[in-house]
Amino acid sequence: MKKFRKVLDGLTTSSPASAGGSPSCGSAAGTPTAAPTPRELDVHETLLSEHFHICKTVRHGFPYQPTALAFDPVQKILAIGSRSGGVRILGRPGVDCYCQHESGAAVLQLQFLINEGALVSACADDTLHLWNLRQRRPAILHSLKFNRERITFCHLPFQSKWLYVGTERGNTHIVNVESFVLSGYVIMWNKAIELSTKTHPGPVVHLSDSPKDEGKLLIGFESGTIVMWDLRSKRADFRIYYDEAIHSVSWHHEGRQFMCSHSDGSLSMWNLRNTAKPFQVTFPHGKSQRDGRKESCKPILKVEYKTCRNSEPFVIFSGGLSYDKAGRRPTLTIMHGKAITVLEMDHPIVEFTVLCETPYLNEVQEPYAVVVLLEKDFIVVDLTQSNFPIFENPYPMDVHESPVTCTAYFADCPPDIIPVLYSIGAKHKKTGYSHKEWPVSGGTWTIGSQTYPEIIITGHADGSIKFWDATAITLQMLYKLKTSKVFEKPKGGEVGRSAELVEEDPYAVQMVSWCPQSRVFCVVGISAHVILYRFSKHDANTSITSLEVRLQCEMEDVISPSDTENTVCATDPGGHSPQPQPSSPRSNTPDSVRDSIPCLRVKDRVIRMPPGYQAELVVQLLWVDGEPPQQITSLDLNSAYGLLAVGNCNGLAVVDYLQKTVILCMSTVELYGSADPFQRLTRSPRKNRQSTSDFCMRGLSNFYSDSKKRIRTSYQSLTELSDNQVSLDLERSKSPTSESRENSFSRSRSSSVSSIDRDTKEAVTTLQFAESYGRKLDTLPTPCLWVGTSLGLVLLVPMSIPMDEQERMEEPITVAPTGTVLMLKGSVLRFGFLDCSGGLIQSPYELWRDLNAPEDPERPRRRKLVNFSPCSSQETASDGHLAVVCSERQAKVFLMPSQACLYVHNITESSFVLRADVVGVSNSVCLACFCANGHIMILSLPSLRPLLDVNYLPLTDMRIARTFCFTNGGQALYLSSPTEIQRITYSQEMCDNLQEMLGELFTPTETPEAQNRGFLKGFFGGNAQTFDREELFGEAAAGKASRSLAQHIPGQGSVEGVRVAAGGVVGDLARARIALDERGQRLGELEERTALMMSSAETFSKHAHELMLKCKDKKWYQF
């Protein structure tokens, strides 16, 4: 704990006060000088560096670009691999784990060690990994890197420790999954096929052991060759050469026949008694042509052949549609007896797997569900009902239903808000789901002891808003709101105008503002509109009020450089102040008729609104003289004041949403008055007209397009977007070290606020209502609006708001901009307010009241305001408060009302801050910053001491920049991919408690016993024969594999895996196994060194012998 003492009153800074009495600005060094009559400020800061640590907590949403799927039928957990090397492991709701391969290589295949708590992953870099799932955060125990061959297929028999690995060359290798060492037993492709075969059979696409005899391995090659390999005799039992390429093979449980899927859309059935030709070939979706042949069909990529006790077997496959049906959606076909059901999917099928009652392949399978992994969705179909309904997915897999364009994170919400939102949202849920329980029910999860209500809000490109319950590191959708319902659908002639503006997403959400206490909600759309919603438990028939704001800057923001770099002085009040010049009317162009019209048309009739959030007011910015309105860049809402403020690159508008009037609409320049620190030149009537219209809005779903598109916003110089990453070049002010880093952020903004591009407009970048002091001489706080601009200036706008409820609804609010100017480097991002003891000052708010509820004469609905009583505490109010202001480059703490700068901290010089928030952590407050170079920084308040600086995301893209947000309790989130939300914590306390908050993936479960097949079936050869694989594949029988073929890499999780492994003998065995493995590796290295020494000795002996023979017959005097 450190005690800070600073001088408060009468402080001066290095910038002299002007004759006009403009406020002084903080010095560059941030060290104020003492006044004649100082008073001490005692702030006890409790936060230390030890309180902070960055770690990932949980990832929500659908795995981006999935590639592989696996299911453990005993543990009932599911794994999904992705193209970026991620693995998601899912169980019952709450059991959701994300793992990442360090290499980032795509996951080709996943194989569970059934009921063993382990998972094998095969990646595109030809590496096998063994994951330990017996710990809450899985870790890699072993890795095996193939050096000379590419992995194409893997198969791990049930209750076996030997993994079959097929390669692109057609060879089959065998890996011991306990030690992750290659066996010397190899099935070479040239041994598997006949010697007379002249062509290579192609890569291995299938491996499986016969259900009838585990000593027989079925190998499928891509070209259509199938080989039944006898592992004991090391020869082929039979070979099949088929004309069509093979994609998959599936056995009948008795092991007497199997089914293949082919590239021509056919299914072939083979009997082991006669492998000369298939006994059945079908084209499930192929029609017979006139010549008797079947029409060509698309490949059947996978087939599953599953038997039932009391009904016909299931044949389930993907693909196989005829080519003539263009435009048909991807399908999953279920053949049950003579009935054929085709399920159309919304997205291409990546993989599917059938869930069966038994893990034994030689028993009747009894399938009960099929898991289908699509490119952008994940569904489970119930096979036990004839109409094949799908299960209701308990995971938040629809985060990306429409591309996410903004996020907001609220921790420690009012406890009643989540049940209310859930009850309203539950009425709109889809029906028709299966009534059975969700089949992926493995693992265990309990709510941790330290939980509090958390809500995540996501805005989407189609204008929808989703409220999510994020309590206890879970995610469940509560309520969905569609903002597009407020507007009329564009008709014929209006489609063109709307399309020019925002392309395909006219309702895309840019930002949201929510007051959880009053339940007032505001949405900013890309079409320069703001919608205000109020929450009600009752439906209503009402109309929506529309306010149109003409917010256009008629002055060119050209700034003359000041003499000093870091100080700004007010202009001479007696000097000439440039006046706005009216722009000349445009020539007769199509755009010239667009004046004083909004981008969208609000419904002007009475609308029935269901319970939930109901639109009350829409504020729209208008076209002006043929130019579209600029996007809204800042928003704030205060329910106690009943005010809404919006800003963009042209100026500021303040709306009274109780009286539904616009009380202030001014350009940024007009807000300064005589206190404008810059000298601005008047605007040429035609100058930059075309370039200004270039700032028209673009569809936000383009952030997720793979094609290169140019996206601009009103004050951020965002350049080209390619492959979901944006590079923004930073023009540093005449700095020789200027450089642009690929795939990282920079902004066209000078590090010196006095040397600014002459074409840059001054945008309003942040707004906040607060009880503050609008003038230096104020003795009591009043409602104020703090305004931050892109030039690093802070303006204060005091307001006079009637306290009485009736007067508030009738009397106008007076607004008087004072021109107060505070100065920072870079665009202003965030405000925060502290009392003189360092505690966070909450903004005033109104308690929620249902305006549509029936009237109660005894309890009239009156406004109940909290923290809105400026005159109630004269003593406390006279102490003033601290204002925290954070910009792209630095943070400052000011004392109000004296406006003296107490502390300054330059956050970054080489990058800039993307997001900053004043948050509560460990019963204190701090300033959290996220920079464009990926650094997360924590600063103490009010002294701005650095507490944490971690290079968390070295490469930051546009998606992360738009969605990163901090919240209280040491938490933050961002969109890690277009479909996934990554939550992180920067609190050491939460990192310590994370283990108990996560779910257990592995639950000790008895493996079901195999069925007794009876004496007669065993006598006549119907039983599955077992054999000892150790005798065939062990080192004693098969020898050692070539060391150059694959390299064993011990995993970093080996020791940790041992610590969390099952106790007793199992733990001892695990430790002994790893110790033996490490000892074997050292012995192997010793053997290699010994062999090298022997080779060197042999060479030396050879040379010595040659020298002896050469000198044998020579006399001593001949040397």
Side-chain angles (χ1 to χ4, degrees):
M1 185 180 296
K2 186 175 179 181
K3 186 174 181 180
F4 293 91
R5 299 176 181 272
K6 283 288 177 178
V7 178
L8 294 190
D9 295 338
L11 299 181
T12 59
T13 61
S14 57
S15 176
S18 64
S22 71
S24 59
C25 303
S27 65
T31 306
T33 57
T37 57
R39 194 162 59 102
E40 289 186 345
L41 170 69
D42 296 343
V43 177
H44 296 271
E45 294 189 1
T46 59
L47 291 179
L48 303 172
S49 298
E50 292 76 21
H51 291 112
F52 298 96
H53 180 71
I54 298 283
C55 73
K56 295 180 180 180
T57 55
V58 67
R59 182 172 291 205
H60 304 295
F62 180 77
Y64 184 55
Q65 295 178 332
T67 56
L69 178 69
F71 181 73
D72 187 327
V74 179
Q75 287 290 318
K76 295 190 182 301
I77 57 175
L78 186 104
I80 300 175
S82 69
R83 190 176 301 174
S84 61
V87 178
R88 283 282 290 280
I89 305 173
L90 303 170
R92 67 176 65 248
V95 179
D96 188 342
C97 180
Y98 174 77
C99 316
Q100 175 68 44
H101 293 92
E102 291 185 1
S103 64
V107 179
L108 298 179
Q109 196 175 352
L110 295 170
Q111 287 270 315
F112 276 104
L113 277 67
I114 296 175
N115 204 27
E116 295 290 337
L119 175 72
V120 174
S121 59
C123 296
D125 60 351
D126 305 308
T127 306
L128 298 173
H129 304 275
L130 178 65
W131 294 85
N132 178 18
L133 306 184
R134 294 182 178 236
Q135 55 195 70
R136 300 197 181 207
R137 283 190 174 275
I140 292 178
L141 293 175
H142 301 283
S143 298
L144 189 65
K145 168 73 173 173
F146 281 74
N147 297 322
R148 297 185 302 191
E149 298 194 53
R150 307 296 306 272
I151 298 173
T152 57
F153 194 86
C154 297
H155 170 62
L156 180 64
F158 179 45
Q159 294 182 324
S160 170
K161 67 175 183 179
W162 298 97
L163 174 72
Y164 301 111
V165 181
T167 68
E168 193 175 36
R169 292 186 180 181
N171 302 325
T172 301
H173 301 275
I174 301 171
V175 178
N176 187 326
V177 294
E178 291 183 347
S179 61
F180 243 53
V181 174
L182 268 180
S183 168
Y185 194 112
V186 183
I187 306 173
M188 305 299 291
W189 68 270
N190 55 349
K191 299 290 182 65
I193 64 173
E194 291 180 341
L195 296 177
S196 59
T197 306
K198 297 181 180 180
T199 58
H200 190 279
V204 175
V205 296
H206 177 81
L207 292 168
S208 63
D209 49 343
S210 168
K212 184 179 178 181
D213 185 356
E214 294 178 349
K216 305 292 180 66
L217 182 68
L218 190 72
I219 307 173
F221 297 93
E222 187 180 57
S223 63
T225 301
I226 300 173
V227 176
M228 176 68 87
W229 185 262
D230 190 328
L231 294 168
R232 300 182 188 89
S233 62
K234 299 183 181 180
R235 62 179 180 84
D237 275 5
F238 63 81
R239 299 177 177 90
I240 296 174
Y241 298 96
Y242 198 64
D243 295 336
E244 292 295 334
I246 292 176
H247 287 281
S248 69
V249 181
S250 184
W251 281 97
H252 187 280
H253 79 275
E254 292 180 350
R256 296 174 181 173
Q257 59 188 28
F258 59 87
M259 180 181 292
C260 301
S261 67
H262 301 280
S263 58
D264 62 348
S266 66
L267 297 173
S268 62
M269 288 283 292
W270 300 83
N271 197 306
L272 299 189
R273 293 181 179 179
N274 182 14
T275 58
K277 63 177 182 178
F279 73 87
Q280 182 182 1
V281 177
T282 58
F283 288 80
H285 295 297
K287 296 179 180 178
S288 297
Q289 298 177 338
R290 293 181 179 178
D291 57 1
R293 295 186 304 173
K294 295 286 187 179
E295 62 180 342
S296 59
C297 295
K298 299 176 182 178
I300 295 179
L301 301 179
K302 184 177 180 180
V303 64
E304 291 269 17
Y305 186 23
K306 301 298 180 183
T307 53
C308 304
R309 287 189 182 88
N310 303 318
S311 64
E312 295 290 328
F314 279 92
V315 176
I316 304 171
F317 61 89
S318 60
L321 293 179
S322 59
Y323 280 104
D324 63 342
K325 296 178 181 177
R328 283 197 61 176
R329 294 189 292 179
T331 61
L332 182 78
T333 304
I334 302 175
M335 300 172 62
H336 190 207
K338 295 182 179 180
I340 300 179
T341 304
V342 179
L343 305 178
E344 290 191 340
M345 304 295 170
D346 294 331
H347 310 284
I349 297 174
V350 175
E351 175 72 284
F352 75 89
T353 186
V354 179
L355 310 188
C356 301
E357 296 287 353
T358 176
Y360 296 95
L361 297 180
N362 58 356
E363 296 179 356
V364 178
Q365 297 296 286
E366 289 293 342
Y368 60 89
V370 55
V371 178
V372 187
L373 179 63
L374 309 176
E375 278 191 2
K376 295 184 179 179
D377 203 356
F378 168 72
I379 64 172
V380 181
V381 181
D382 186 356
L383 296 179
T384 61
Q385 301 182 43
S386 58
N387 58 342
F388 302 126
I390 64 172
F391 290 86
E392 184 177 6
N393 197 328
Y395 314 124
M397 293 291 187
D398 57 346
V399 172
H400 64 290
E401 185 177 14
S402 174
V404 178
T405 53
C406 74
T407 59
Y409 194 2
F410 299 87
D412 206 7
C413 300
D416 60 335
I417 190 70
I418 290 180
V420 168
L421 288 173
Y422 181 79
S423 63
I424 297 295
K427 299 177 182 178
H428 305 284
K429 281 192 173 183
K430 296 179 181 179
T431 57
Y433 293 112
S434 172
H435 298 295
K436 295 198 171 184
E437 292 186 1
W438 179 251
V440 186
S441 56
T444 56
W445 178 78
T446 56
I447 298 177
S449 57
Q450 299 179 349
T451 59
Y452 43 82
E454 299 175 71
I455 287 181
I456 294 173
I457 300 176
T458 56
H460 300 264
D462 63 353
S464 61
I465 302 286
K466 292 182 180 180
F467 290 78
W468 305 84
D469 178 10
T471 306
I473 69 170
T474 61
L475 196 69
Q476 181 182 11
M477 196 173 82
L478 296 172
Y479 177 73
K480 182 177 180 180
L481 176 67
K482 295 182 178 179
T483 63
S484 59
K485 291 185 175 181
V486 173
F487 303 100
E488 300 280 4
K489 292 182 178 179
K491 299 178 181 178
E494 299 174 355
V495 173
R497 182 187 77 187
S498 186
E500 281 183 34
L501 279 178
V502 292
E503 294 180 353
E504 69 270 21
D505 299 321
Y507 312 112
V509 179
Q510 276 192 294
M511 63 183 77
V512 296
S513 180
W514 187 43
C515 177
Q517 291 81 9
S518 64
R519 303 182 189 175
V520 179
F521 184 58
C522 268
V523 179
V524 173
I526 198 173
S527 299
H529 64 269
V530 182
I531 310 173
L532 184 137
Y533 291 89
R534 283 180 180 266
F535 187 84
S536 175
K537 294 181 179 180
H538 306 273
D539 56 1
N541 293 310
T542 183
S543 58
I544 304 171
T545 304
S546 177
L547 294 179
E548 297 177 348
V549 178
R550 188 182 176 93
L551 193 59
Q552 189 76 4
C553 180
E554 296 294 339
M555 179 173 292
E556 183 72 24
D557 292 350
V558 176
I559 300 140
S560 62
S562 70
D563 296 332
T564 60
E565 184 171 328
N566 293 316
T567 60
V568 178
C569 301
T571 56
D572 184 1
H576 173 69
S577 176
Q579 297 297 322
Q581 298 294 324
S583 58
S584 61
R586 233 177 146 175
S587 58
N588 189 16
T589 62
D591 280 346
S592 62
V593 298
R594 300 180 187 171
D595 186 69
S596 299
I597 59 172
C599 298
L600 301 171
R601 180 177 297 175
V602 180
K603 292 179 179 179
D604 55 1
R605 61 185 182 276
V606 176
I607 306 170
R608 182 192 174 279
M609 298 184 183
Y613 273 104
Q614 301 169 350
E616 181 178 289
L617 176 67
V618 177
V619 180
Q620 290 182 286
L621 304 188
L622 300 176
W623 282 68
V624 178
D625 194 18
E627 292 188 7
Q630 299 296 313
Q631 290 183 23
I632 294 170
T633 57
S634 54
L635 168 75
D636 194 40
L637 163 77
N638 190 280
S639 58
Y641 302 159
L643 297 180
L644 172 70
V646 296
N648 67 359
C649 65
N650 288 330
L652 169 70
V654 181
V655 175
D656 181 349
Y657 68 79
L658 296 179
Q659 298 186 20
K660 296 181 173 56
T661 57
V662 180
I663 62 174
L664 178 69
C665 181
M666 300 177 71
S667 69
T668 316
V669 179
E670 293 170 332
L671 290 172
Y672 290 108
S674 61
D676 191 348
F678 298 114
Q679 298 175 7
R680 305 171 193 261
L681 304 180
T682 56
R683 168 176 166 173
S684 171
R686 291 297 301 270
K687 182 180 178 183
N688 287 339
R689 177 64 55 90
Q690 185 63 37
S691 63
T692 305
S693 63
D694 281 345
F695 281 101
C696 63
M697 294 147 290
R698 301 288 184 239
L700 288 180
S701 63
N702 294 336
F703 287 122
Y704 307 97
S705 171
D706 289 333
S707 59
K708 292 184 178 180
K709 298 199 177 184
R710 185 169 296 275
I711 302 169
R712 296 186 178 95
T713 62
S714 52
Y715 75 98
Q716 292 178 331
S717 304
L718 306 184
T719 57
E720 262 188 355
L721 174 68
S722 174
D723 295 332
N724 294 333
Q725 290 201 347
V726 178
S727 175
L728 292 88
D729 296 330
L730 171 66
E731 297 179 5
R732 303 191 180 98
S733 59
K734 302 178 183 179
S735 170
T737 61
S738 297
E739 60 181 356
S740 62
R741 183 176 178 181
E742 189 177 359
N743 293 331
S744 63
F745 275 102
S746 51
R747 184 170 297 173
S748 177
R749 191 180 317 285
S750 171
S751 60
S752 168
V753 293
S754 61
S755 57
I756 300 177
D757 187 354
R758 299 177 68 85
D759 289 332
T760 301
K761 285 191 173 185
E762 184 176 12
V764 176
T765 55
T766 186
L767 297 164
Q768 186 160 342
F769 290 101
E771 296 283 303
S772 187
Y773 302 85
R775 301 168 184 84
K776 276 188 173 183
L777 301 179
D778 287 352
T779 57
L780 293 176
T782 58
C784 290
L785 175 62
W786 285 66
V787 182
T789 75
S790 57
L791 300 186
L793 301 180
V794 179
L795 306 170
L796 271 72
V797 181
M799 296 169 290
S800 176
I801 302 176
M803 291 288 295
D804 182 74
E805 183 172 356
Q806 184 175 356
E807 291 181 358
R808 175 65 185 85
M809 299 301 297
E810 297 174 356
E811 298 293 329
I813 293 176
T814 57
V815 181
T818 61
T820 298
V821 176
L822 308 175
M823 190 70 187
L824 287 88
K825 291 181 182 178
S827 175
V828 180
L829 298 178
R830 188 67 58 193
F831 298 119
F833 303 99
L834 310 177
D835 57 31
C836 291
S837 62
L840 184 66
I841 300 176
Q842 298 289 346
S843 296
Y845 60 87
E846 175 190 2
L847 293 177
W848 175 71
R849 55 197 176 113
D850 195 339
L851 299 179
N852 295 331
E855 290 284 351
D856 187 354
E858 298 181 359
R859 299 181 62 184
R861 291 195 302 267
R862 298 181 59 86
R863 298 184 72 209
K864 296 180 181 178
L865 308 182
V866 179
N867 296 337
F868 183 33
S869 52
C871 302
S872 62
S873 178
Q874 298 279 347
E875 184 177 350
T876 304
S878 62
D879 289 340
H881 69 82
L882 303 177
V884 182
V885 187
C886 184
S887 74
E888 289 180 327
R889 299 296 176 82
Q890 65 179 187
K892 288 187 178 182
V893 176
F894 297 93
L895 176 67
M896 304 301 291
S898 67
Q899 300 174 10
C901 180
L902 301 183
Y903 303 96
V904 179
H905 178 73
N906 292 319
I907 300 173
T908 178
E909 292 294 340
S910 59
S911 182
F912 59 92
V913 179
L914 287 170
R915 179 79 186 209
D917 287 290
V918 177
V919 293
V921 180
S922 301
N923 299 320
S924 188
V925 291
C926 60
L927 178 64
C929 303
F930 175 62
C931 295
N933 58 8
H935 282 248
I936 292 179
M937 303 181 184
I938 307 294
L939 304 176
S940 69
L941 289 177
S943 65
L944 299 177
R945 287 181 302 114
L947 298 176
L948 180 75
D949 185 355
V950 176
N951 187 11
Y952 177 69
L953 292 169
L955 296 178
T956 301
D957 58 20
M958 169 59 75
R959 179 184 59 255
I960 296 175
R962 294 191 67 88
T963 58
F964 197 102
C965 53
F966 295 98
T967 190
N968 295 326
Q971 297 196 74
L973 66 80
Y974 59 92
L975 220 64
S976 58
S977 73
T979 63
E980 296 169 287
I981 294 174
Q982 178 68 60
R983 291 166 68 178
I984 65 173
T985 180
Y986 48 92
S987 165
Q988 181 67 59
E989 181 182 5
M990 187 168 184
C991 289
D992 296 339
N993 297 328
L994 186 60
Q995 285 293 331
E996 72 172 69
M997 300 171 69
L998 297 174
E1000 289 275 4
L1001 294 172
F1002 179 77
T1003 305
T1005 306
E1006 289 289 336
T1007 302
E1009 294 183 0
Q1011 295 178 1
N1012 186 2
R1013 299 176 59 85
F1015 171 76
L1016 291 177
K1017 287 189 177 181
F1019 183 78
F1020 289 107
N1023 65 324
Q1025 300 178 22
T1026 59
F1027 78 110
D1028 189 359
R1029 293 185 176 92
E1030 185 71 32
E1031 293 182 359
L1032 291 176
F1033 307 146
E1035 185 176 331
K1040 291 184 177 180
S1042 172
R1043 290 188 175 274
S1044 61
L1045 180 61
Q1047 176 187 1
H1048 176 261
I1049 305 170
Q1052 295 181 354
S1054 298
V1055 177
E1056 184 181 359
V1058 169
R1059 290 173 181 169
V1060 299
V1065 178
V1066 177
D1068 294 337
L1069 288 175
R1071 282 188 287 272
R1073 182 185 303 164
I1074 292 178
L1076 286 173
D1077 178 47
E1078 294 174 351
R1079 181 173 179 269
Q1081 186 177 359
R1082 288 194 295 270
L1083 288 174
E1085 295 173 355
L1086 179 61
E1087 182 182 354
E1088 288 181 352
R1089 290 197 297 268
T1090 304
L1092 184 61
M1093 291 175 64
M1094 289 179 63
S1095 176
S1096 177
E1098 288 177 2
T1099 305
F1100 177 77
S1101 175
K1102 181 181 177 181
H1103 288 307
H1105 184 68
E1106 291 175 354
L1107 183 61
M1108 184 269 293
L1109 293 177
K1110 181 179 180 181
C1111 303
K1112 181 179 179 181
D1113 298 328
K1114 288 187 178 181
K1115 303 297 183 181
W1116 63 269
Y1117 51 82
Q1118 291 177 326
F1119 287 98

